[in-house]
Amino acid sequence: YIIVSLIVCFLLADQNIIAPLLNPMAEEFNLTAIERDRILAAELNIPFVLVGGLTSLLVGWAADSVNRKALLCGLVLFSEIACFATLLVTDISGLFVTRSFSGIAIGGIYPLTFSLIGDWFPAHERGKALSFTLILATIGFLLGQILSASIGPFLGFRAVFAIVAAPNLILAPLFFFTTKEPVRAAKEELVQQAAVA
């Protein structure tokens, strides 16, 4: 549970990295102020959100029937490798691709996390468990902005994406190899009563 919460934290760290670095990125890609605002602040988010939204629907459906541990690990690794690959981006098109692929895990993390927490905790403890995870999500969002604003001007925007992706390249396999897939609905009272009867 702690590992998944940390994965959520670092996964959300890349959501708003671009905001503090709009001007240096615009200079690097030779964008005017109007192009900067239109492309980097608006258009770049469209495929990220669309891919994430579609993924959320698909993963929400899949979370009811497939191995959630493997699905979470696969989505996170795929997205974080894409985020890390921002190191190789040389133009706006490449940035659109890496951001789109990063949206995959963002879309899938919530249905998977909520499903897992539902099976790890009994009903009377789920609110606390979700609260902890969502606090870490907020911290991750803030962490990304702080890193972007503090080290981005020195190392460049590409390095910030790689830095926030790196922890999950370790945490996702750690989760996969150290965590058992919980039994579905095992923490539900009616299921527990039926098992005793």
Side-chain angles (χ1 to χ4, degrees):
Y1 162 72
I2 299 294
I3 296 172
V4 168
S5 297
L6 288 171
I7 287 171
V8 170
C9 176
F10 289 111
L11 193 61
L12 294 179
D14 84 347
Q15 271 198 304
N16 208 23
I17 286 176
I18 293 174
L21 297 172
L22 283 172
N23 289 330
M25 290 175 73
E27 287 175 22
E28 182 162 338
F29 293 125
N30 296 314
L31 301 175
T32 67
I34 292 171
E35 290 172 328
R36 175 201 64 207
D37 294 344
R38 181 176 50 83
I39 296 170
L40 295 177
E43 291 175 1
L44 189 58
N45 292 312
I46 294 170
F48 180 82
V49 171
L50 290 177
V51 169
L54 179 61
T55 302
S56 187
L57 290 172
L58 295 172
V59 169
W61 172 80
D64 293 333
S65 58
V66 303
N67 183 303
R68 295 163 293 180
K69 181 178 84 162
L71 184 57
L72 185 139
C73 185
L75 287 173
V76 170
L77 285 175
F78 180 81
S79 292
E80 295 295 35
I81 288 168
C83 186
F84 198 86
T86 304
L87 280 170
L88 307 174
V89 166
T90 59
D91 58 24
I92 291 291
S93 299
L95 194 57
F96 269 89
V97 170
T98 59
R99 294 304 293 150
S100 297
F101 289 153
S102 291
I104 290 173
I106 299 290
I109 197 69
Y110 286 112
L112 283 169
T113 301
F114 292 174
S115 177
L116 288 166
I117 288 173
D119 288 336
W120 279 329
F121 294 92
H124 67 278
E125 293 178 9
R126 286 183 196 138
K128 290 179 272 203
L130 285 169
S131 294
F132 176 75
T133 301
L134 294 175
I135 287 169
L136 283 180
T138 304
I139 290 169
F141 190 80
L142 180 62
L143 177 68
Q145 285 192 314
I146 290 170
L147 284 172
S148 181
S150 60
I151 65 173
F154 305 105
L155 299 178
F157 77 91
R158 291 173 186 85
V160 180
F161 279 100
I163 289 167
V164 299
N168 277 343
L169 296 175
I170 297 165
L171 289 171
L174 180 67
F175 168 71
F176 184 79
F177 290 113
T178 63
T179 306
K180 292 172 79 172
E181 172 78 10
V183 176
R184 292 180 199 281
K187 298 292 183 177
E188 298 299 328
E189 270 186 57
L190 292 176
V191 173
Q192 291 174 344
Q193 291 170 1
V196 172

